Amino acid sequence: MKFIDSVLKFNFLILIFTFFVNKPSSFDIDLYSDWQKIVGVLNEKLPKSFLLADFKFESDLFIDEFEKKQLIDLQAGQILTIDKIKQIVLNLKKKNHFESIQISLKKIKSDNSSKKLGRELSIKLKSFWVFSKIKIKTRIKDKDRYLQNYLLEFGEKFDKEKHFHSIEKIKNELQSDGYLNANVHDELKFDDITKSVSATLNFENLQRFVINDLDIVLTASEGELEDGNFLRGKLIKIANLELKNVYYNKTLIDKFAATIKNYLLKKGYFVGKTSFQNFVN
Protein backbone atom coordinates (compact mmCIF):
# COMPACT_ATOMS: atom_id res chain seq x y z
CA MET A 1 0.00 0.00 0.00
CA LYS A 2 1.42 3.22 -1.07
CA PHE A 3 1.03 6.25 1.03
CA ILE A 4 1.14 9.41 -0.88
CA ASP A 5 2.11 12.35 1.09
CA SER A 6 0.00 15.22 0.11
CA VAL A 7 1.62 18.48 0.32
CA LEU A 8 -0.91 21.11 0.71
CA LYS A 9 0.28 24.42 -0.43
CA PHE A 10 -1.45 27.34 1.11
CA ASN A 11 -1.25 30.51 -0.74
CA PHE A 12 -1.65 33.38 1.61
CA LEU A 13 -2.99 36.46 0.07
CA ILE A 14 -1.52 39.36 1.89
CA LEU A 15 -3.44 42.51 1.53
CA ILE A 16 -1.45 45.64 2.05
CA PHE A 17 -3.53 48.63 2.78
CA THR A 18 -1.97 51.95 2.19
CA PHE A 19 -3.58 54.70 4.13
CA PHE A 20 -3.30 58.09 2.58
CA VAL A 21 -3.34 60.77 5.18
CA ASN A 22 -4.75 63.98 3.82
CA LYS A 23 -1.85 66.19 4.69
CA PRO A 24 -1.97 69.79 3.49
CA SER A 25 0.44 70.89 0.80
CA SER A 26 2.32 73.88 2.10
CA PHE A 27 4.90 76.32 0.73
CA ASP A 28 6.49 79.62 1.70
CA ILE A 29 6.88 82.77 -0.37
CA ASP A 30 9.51 85.42 0.27
CA LEU A 31 7.64 88.68 -0.26
CA TYR A 32 10.93 90.49 -0.91
CA SER A 33 11.43 88.34 -4.01
CA ASP A 34 10.90 89.61 -7.54
CA TRP A 35 7.20 89.55 -8.45
CA GLN A 36 7.70 87.36 -11.52
CA LYS A 37 9.50 84.82 -9.36
CA ILE A 38 6.57 84.79 -6.93
CA VAL A 39 4.11 84.29 -9.81
CA GLY A 40 6.19 81.33 -11.00
CA VAL A 41 5.97 79.68 -7.57
CA LEU A 42 2.19 80.20 -7.42
CA ASN A 43 1.71 78.76 -10.91
CA GLU A 44 3.72 75.70 -9.94
CA LYS A 45 2.13 75.04 -6.55
CA LEU A 46 -1.54 75.95 -6.98
CA PRO A 47 -4.41 74.58 -9.08
CA LYS A 48 -6.04 76.98 -11.53
CA SER A 49 -9.26 76.97 -9.52
CA PHE A 50 -10.96 75.10 -6.67
CA LEU A 51 -13.92 75.21 -4.32
CA LEU A 52 -12.93 77.09 -1.19
CA ALA A 53 -14.44 74.90 1.54
CA ASP A 54 -12.78 76.74 4.42
CA PHE A 55 -10.35 79.58 4.97
CA LYS A 56 -7.93 80.13 7.85
CA PHE A 57 -5.82 83.23 8.45
CA GLU A 58 -2.98 83.90 10.88
CA SER A 59 -0.67 86.89 11.28
CA ASP A 60 1.85 87.97 13.90
CA LEU A 61 0.84 91.56 13.06
CA PHE A 62 -2.57 92.80 14.17
CA ILE A 63 -4.89 93.45 11.21
CA ASP A 64 -8.44 94.66 11.83
CA GLU A 65 -11.37 93.17 9.94
CA PHE A 66 -11.74 96.14 7.60
CA GLU A 67 -8.13 95.99 6.44
CA LYS A 68 -8.24 92.21 6.29
CA LYS A 69 -11.20 92.40 3.93
CA GLN A 70 -9.36 94.92 1.74
CA LEU A 71 -6.25 92.75 1.55
CA ILE A 72 -7.81 89.29 1.26
CA ASP A 73 -11.66 89.23 1.10
CA LEU A 74 -12.30 85.47 0.93
CA GLN A 75 -15.41 83.50 1.89
CA ALA A 76 -15.99 79.77 2.15
CA GLY A 77 -18.13 78.35 -0.66
CA GLN A 78 -16.73 80.47 -3.48
CA ILE A 79 -14.80 79.17 -6.46
CA LEU A 80 -11.30 80.49 -5.93
CA THR A 81 -9.01 81.05 -8.92
CA ILE A 82 -5.25 81.30 -8.97
CA ASP A 83 -5.55 84.86 -10.32
CA LYS A 84 -7.46 85.83 -7.16
CA ILE A 85 -4.71 84.33 -4.98
CA LYS A 86 -2.07 86.21 -7.00
CA GLN A 87 -3.93 89.46 -6.33
CA ILE A 88 -4.04 88.67 -2.60
CA VAL A 89 -0.30 87.99 -2.50
CA LEU A 90 0.36 91.19 -4.45
CA ASN A 91 -1.74 93.18 -1.94
CA LEU A 92 0.28 91.75 0.94
CA LYS A 93 3.56 92.47 -0.85
CA LYS A 94 2.55 96.11 -1.50
CA LYS A 95 1.66 96.63 2.15
CA ASN A 96 5.42 96.38 2.76
CA HIS A 97 5.06 95.10 6.30
CA PHE A 98 5.35 91.37 5.71
CA GLU A 99 8.50 89.35 5.25
CA SER A 100 6.96 86.06 4.10
CA ILE A 101 3.69 84.24 3.56
CA GLN A 102 2.96 80.55 4.07
CA ILE A 103 0.18 79.08 1.93
CA SER A 104 -1.35 75.69 2.72
CA LEU A 105 -4.02 73.70 0.85
CA LYS A 106 -5.91 70.71 2.21
CA LYS A 107 -8.77 68.70 0.67
CA ILE A 108 -11.91 68.67 2.83
CA LYS A 109 -15.66 68.43 2.35
CA SER A 110 -17.59 71.61 1.97
CA ASP A 111 -19.93 72.64 4.79
CA ASN A 112 -22.72 73.53 2.39
CA SER A 113 -25.54 71.17 1.43
CA SER A 114 -23.75 69.84 -1.65
CA LYS A 115 -20.98 68.28 0.49
CA LYS A 116 -18.63 68.60 -2.46
CA LEU A 117 -14.94 67.99 -1.95
CA GLY A 118 -13.22 71.34 -1.68
CA ARG A 119 -10.04 72.77 -0.25
CA GLU A 120 -9.12 74.43 2.96
CA LEU A 121 -6.84 77.41 2.32
CA SER A 122 -4.58 78.63 5.11
CA ILE A 123 -2.59 81.83 4.91
CA LYS A 124 0.02 82.56 7.58
CA LEU A 125 1.86 85.90 7.53
CA LYS A 126 5.20 86.72 9.09
CA SER A 127 5.84 90.44 9.48
CA PHE A 128 8.97 92.46 10.15
CA TRP A 129 9.59 95.47 12.37
CA VAL A 130 9.11 98.81 10.63
CA PHE A 131 10.42 102.24 11.55
CA SER A 132 7.65 104.59 12.71
CA LYS A 133 9.11 107.84 14.07
CA ILE A 134 12.12 109.60 15.59
CA LYS A 135 12.49 112.50 17.98
CA ILE A 136 15.46 114.33 19.47
CA LYS A 137 15.84 115.45 23.07
CA THR A 138 18.30 118.35 23.32
CA ARG A 139 18.60 122.00 24.26
CA ILE A 140 19.92 122.89 20.77
CA LYS A 141 17.35 125.13 19.07
CA ASP A 142 17.85 124.00 15.47
CA LYS A 143 17.88 120.31 16.42
CA ASP A 144 15.68 119.23 13.50
CA ARG A 145 18.41 119.89 10.95
CA TYR A 146 20.39 116.98 12.42
CA LEU A 147 17.56 114.64 11.41
CA GLN A 148 18.67 114.90 7.78
CA ASN A 149 21.49 112.55 8.78
CA TYR A 150 19.03 109.88 9.93
CA LEU A 151 18.80 107.33 7.13
CA LEU A 152 15.62 105.40 8.03
CA GLU A 153 12.30 106.63 6.65
CA PHE A 154 8.76 106.16 7.94
CA GLY A 155 7.37 102.73 7.05
CA GLU A 156 10.77 101.32 6.10
CA LYS A 157 11.94 97.97 7.44
CA PHE A 158 13.85 98.68 10.63
CA ASP A 159 17.56 98.07 10.13
CA LYS A 160 19.72 98.25 13.27
CA GLU A 161 22.92 98.72 11.27
CA LYS A 162 21.37 101.65 9.41
CA HIS A 163 20.11 103.07 12.71
CA PHE A 164 23.53 103.01 14.39
CA HIS A 165 25.23 104.36 11.26
CA SER A 166 22.78 107.29 11.39
CA ILE A 167 23.69 107.98 15.02
CA GLU A 168 27.38 108.08 14.07
CA LYS A 169 26.62 110.57 11.26
CA ILE A 170 24.67 112.81 13.66
CA LYS A 171 27.48 112.64 16.22
CA ASN A 172 30.03 113.67 13.56
CA GLU A 173 27.78 116.56 12.53
CA LEU A 174 27.58 117.77 16.14
CA GLN A 175 31.35 117.64 16.47
CA SER A 176 31.74 119.53 13.19
CA ASP A 177 29.54 122.26 14.70
CA GLY A 178 31.86 122.68 17.68
CA TYR A 179 30.31 120.22 20.14
CA LEU A 180 33.59 118.32 20.20
CA ASN A 181 32.72 116.07 23.17
CA ALA A 182 29.16 115.41 22.02
CA ASN A 183 27.62 111.98 22.34
CA VAL A 184 24.30 110.57 21.10
CA HIS A 185 22.39 108.07 23.23
CA ASP A 186 19.45 106.22 21.66
CA GLU A 187 16.25 104.76 23.13
CA LEU A 188 14.25 102.28 21.03
CA LYS A 189 10.61 101.49 21.74
CA PHE A 190 9.11 98.35 20.17
CA ASP A 191 5.32 98.15 19.74
CA ASP A 192 4.34 94.46 19.63
CA ILE A 193 0.85 95.18 18.26
CA THR A 194 1.85 97.28 15.26
CA LYS A 195 5.34 95.71 14.93
CA SER A 196 6.80 99.22 14.74
CA VAL A 197 9.90 100.84 16.23
CA SER A 198 10.20 104.43 17.41
CA ALA A 199 13.51 106.03 18.29
CA THR A 200 14.46 108.82 20.68
CA LEU A 201 17.92 110.39 20.45
CA ASN A 202 19.41 112.18 23.44
CA PHE A 203 22.25 114.62 22.74
CA GLU A 204 24.75 114.62 25.62
CA ASN A 205 27.90 116.59 26.58
CA LEU A 206 26.93 119.67 24.57
CA GLN A 207 29.65 122.11 25.52
CA ARG A 208 30.33 124.17 22.41
CA PHE A 209 33.97 125.09 21.87
CA VAL A 210 35.42 128.33 20.56
CA ILE A 211 38.71 128.74 18.71
CA ASN A 212 41.23 130.15 21.17
CA ASP A 213 44.73 129.72 19.78
CA LEU A 214 45.71 129.03 16.20
CA ASP A 215 48.98 127.87 14.80
CA ILE A 216 49.98 127.21 11.21
CA VAL A 217 52.86 124.94 10.27
CA LEU A 218 54.34 125.15 6.78
CA THR A 219 56.59 122.37 5.52
CA ALA A 220 58.42 122.08 2.21
CA SER A 221 58.72 118.84 0.26
CA GLU A 222 62.48 119.37 -0.02
CA GLY A 223 64.75 121.45 2.18
CA GLU A 224 63.55 124.54 4.04
CA LEU A 225 60.77 126.83 2.93
CA GLU A 226 62.10 130.19 1.76
CA ASP A 227 60.78 133.03 3.94
CA GLY A 228 58.93 130.36 5.88
CA ASN A 229 58.81 132.20 9.25
CA PHE A 230 57.66 135.47 7.68
CA LEU A 231 54.96 133.69 5.67
CA ARG A 232 53.83 131.66 8.67
CA GLY A 233 53.55 134.74 10.85
CA LYS A 234 51.46 136.55 8.23
CA LEU A 235 49.08 133.58 7.87
CA ILE A 236 48.67 133.23 11.65
CA LYS A 237 47.78 136.94 11.83
CA ILE A 238 45.12 136.46 9.12
CA ALA A 239 43.79 133.37 10.88
CA ASN A 240 43.47 135.17 14.23
CA LEU A 241 41.57 138.02 12.62
CA GLU A 242 39.05 135.66 11.03
CA LEU A 243 38.78 132.75 13.48
CA LYS A 244 39.91 133.66 16.99
CA ASN A 245 37.11 133.48 19.61
CA VAL A 246 34.69 132.17 16.98
CA TYR A 247 32.69 128.98 17.62
CA TYR A 248 34.54 126.03 16.14
CA ASN A 249 32.95 124.96 12.89
CA LYS A 250 34.56 122.53 10.45
CA THR A 251 32.91 124.16 7.44
CA LEU A 252 34.40 127.49 8.49
CA ILE A 253 37.83 125.87 8.93
CA ASP A 254 37.60 124.27 5.48
CA LYS A 255 36.73 127.62 3.88
CA PHE A 256 39.64 129.30 5.62
CA ALA A 257 42.00 126.53 4.47
CA ALA A 258 40.87 127.14 0.88
CA THR A 259 41.54 130.87 1.35
CA ILE A 260 45.10 130.12 2.55
CA LYS A 261 45.75 127.81 -0.40
CA ASN A 262 44.63 130.49 -2.87
CA TYR A 263 46.82 133.07 -1.11
CA LEU A 264 49.87 130.78 -1.28
CA LEU A 265 49.21 129.98 -4.95
CA LYS A 266 49.23 133.68 -5.75
CA LYS A 267 52.58 133.93 -3.98
CA GLY A 268 53.94 131.11 -6.15
CA TYR A 269 53.65 128.24 -3.67
CA PHE A 270 51.93 124.98 -4.58
CA VAL A 271 50.07 123.43 -1.65
CA GLY A 272 49.91 119.65 -1.92
CA LYS A 273 48.27 118.65 1.34
CA THR A 274 46.41 120.36 4.18
CA SER A 275 45.69 118.73 7.54
CA PHE A 276 44.16 119.89 10.83
CA GLN A 277 44.68 118.93 14.45
CA ASN A 278 42.40 120.00 17.30
CA PHE A 279 43.59 120.36 20.88
CA VAL A 280 40.56 120.43 23.19
CA ASN A 281 40.84 122.24 26.53
Side-chain angles (χ1 to χ4, degrees):
M1 189 177 193
K2 292 183 178 180
F3 294 93
I4 300 174
D5 292 329
S6 302
V7 179
L8 300 178
K9 295 181 179 179
F10 295 92
N11 294 321
F12 292 93
L13 180 62
I14 301 175
L15 300 179
I16 301 176
F17 295 93
T18 302
F19 294 91
F20 293 93
V21 179
N22 187 21
K23 291 183 178 179
S25 60
S26 178
F27 59 95
D28 294 325
I29 291 178
D30 181 3
L31 291 175
Y32 267 92
S33 298
D34 177 74
W35 174 242
Q36 292 305 318
K37 183 178 179 181
I38 293 174
V39 169
V41 173
L42 294 173
N43 286 335
E44 178 186 349
K45 300 289 187 180
L46 295 175
K48 290 184 177 180
S49 64
F50 58 89
L51 173 63
L52 182 62
D54 195 13
F55 172 61
K56 293 182 178 180
F57 176 79
E58 184 180 342
S59 172
D60 61 354
L61 171 69
F62 174 75
I63 302 177
D64 60 38
E65 288 301 317
F66 176 76
E67 187 177 16
K68 179 181 172 184
K69 188 173 181 180
Q70 284 187 318
L71 291 171
I72 300 174
D73 192 21
L74 291 178
Q75 293 181 350
Q78 72 181 101
I79 299 298
L80 186 58
T81 65
I82 190 172
D83 288 336
K84 175 66 175 177
I85 296 179
K86 288 177 184 176
Q87 184 59 53
I88 290 171
V89 174
L90 183 59
N91 292 343
L92 295 169
K93 179 179 174 65
K94 285 182 176 179
K95 184 172 172 60
N96 198 30
H97 207 144
F98 297 108
E99 187 173 356
S100 64
I101 175 173
Q102 184 183 80
I103 297 178
S104 301
L105 278 179
K106 180 180 178 182
K107 291 181 179 180
I108 63 170
K109 285 186 178 180
S110 176
D111 287 337
N112 59 30
S113 58
S114 64
K115 297 295 181 182
K116 288 182 180 179
L117 191 66
R119 310 242 179 152
E120 176 189 86
L121 173 66
S122 297
I123 291 180
K124 185 177 181 180
L125 298 174
K126 181 182 177 183
S127 62
F128 51 73
W129 293 95
V130 297
F131 174 69
S132 61
K133 63 180 179 179
I134 184 171
K135 64 179 180 180
I136 292 177
K137 287 185 177 180
T138 180
R139 58 180 174 80
I140 298 176
K141 291 181 179 180
D142 56 344
K143 62 181 180 179
D144 289 342
R145 74 180 183 87
Y146 292 98
L147 289 178
Q148 65 186 358
N149 294 290
Y150 195 78
L151 304 174
L152 288 169
E153 296 183 2
F154 173 79
E156 182 180 347
K157 182 178 181 180
F158 182 72
D159 185 326
K160 279 190 175 181
E161 186 175 338
K162 213 172 181 180
H163 169 73
F164 289 120
H165 181 55
S166 301
I167 290 176
E168 197 61 32
K169 283 173 65 69
I170 292 172
K171 181 179 175 181
N172 291 339
E173 183 76 11
L174 284 167
Q175 292 174 348
S176 295
D177 287 343
Y179 303 99
L180 299 180
N181 291 331
N183 198 10
V184 180
H185 173 69
D186 70 313
E187 297 175 14
L188 297 177
K189 185 177 180 182
F190 293 83
D191 190 321
D192 292 324
I193 296 177
T194 61
K195 290 295 287 286
S196 60
V197 184
S198 59
T200 301
L201 303 183
N202 295 283
F203 292 178
E204 301 170 346
N205 300 329
L206 294 180
Q207 300 86 16
R208 196 172 187 188
F209 287 78
V210 296
I211 299 171
N212 187 16
D213 277 325
L214 299 103
D215 194 9
I216 295 175
V217 178
L218 302 174
T219 58
S221 58
E222 295 181 3
E224 293 186 3
L225 186 67
E226 186 179 349
D227 297 329
N229 289 332
F230 173 78
L231 192 60
R232 175 173 170 266
K234 189 171 183 64
L235 291 175
I236 289 175
K237 186 176 181 180
I238 296 171
N240 278 303
L241 286 172
E242 292 198 23
L243 299 177
K244 191 174 177 65
N245 296 324
V246 174
Y247 278 121
Y248 175 90
N249 183 285
K250 191 174 183 302
T251 302
L252 188 65
I253 298 292
D254 289 339
K255 286 182 179 179
F256 180 72
T259 301
I260 289 180
K261 289 178 76 171
N262 290 332
Y263 175 82
L264 291 172
L265 283 171
K266 289 178 181 178
K267 295 293 183 181
Y269 298 99
F270 174 75
V271 180
K273 183 181 179 182
T274 305
S275 60
F276 304 94
Q277 190 171 5
N278 299 324
F279 296 94
V280 178
N281 184 5

